[in-house]
Amino acid sequence: MPPPGYDPAAQLTAALGEVAGRHRVRVLLHTTLKQAARRIPPAAATLVQTAGGVLLETRAERFDTMAGYLAGLGCPLTVHHPAELREALARLSDRLASSAASGGRDWGPCADDETRCRGPRPP
């Protein structure tokens, strides 16, 4: 018999989250737990309400992909770990701002082997 309160589905979800990528990610989402849970499936991350917001803990294989995912959540956030994720968010922000300013006309296509664009086209 399992112990009282044992939740096999929760245990499986937590175990799957541990193998999703090689990099540990800790991000504070400046939103409510209810709002975060609407956008983030339980298998994707662990969410914990804190005094400052919602602590998201997960794993990621690629920082640029995680940056795009976090940006899509639509809430302010603070990356606690790793620094490479902060850098990926900054690069994404720069690309989006440049694309918005130019209407996307100054950017080349995305490279086949990467998810990031090559940057402004030469004149």
Side-chain angles (χ1 to χ4, degrees), residues 5-6 41 53 63 78 96 104:
Y6 176 73
F63 297 122
T78 303
L96 292 173

Side-chain angles (χ1 to χ4, degrees), residues 43-119:
T46 301
L47 301 174
V48 177
Q49 183 70 58
T50 70
V54 177
L55 183 63
L56 176 148
E57 294 184 307
T58 190
R59 298 185 77 80
E61 189 63 28
R62 296 179 55 120
F63 297 122
D64 56 349
T65 303
M66 180 57 70
Y69 179 78
L70 291 171
L73 294 177
C75 65
L77 56 92
T78 303
V79 175
H80 288 299
H81 179 77
E84 293 90 347
L85 180 54
R86 282 191 291 278
E87 294 163 5
L89 277 166
R91 286 190 303 273
L92 176 60
S93 174
D94 290 346
R95 285 195 314 272
L96 292 173
S98 178
S99 186
S102 70
R105 293 180 303 276
D106 296 335
W107 284 83
C110 290
D112 292 337
D113 61 341
E114 299 176 359
T115 58
R116 60 190 176 106
C117 294
R118 290 183 232 159

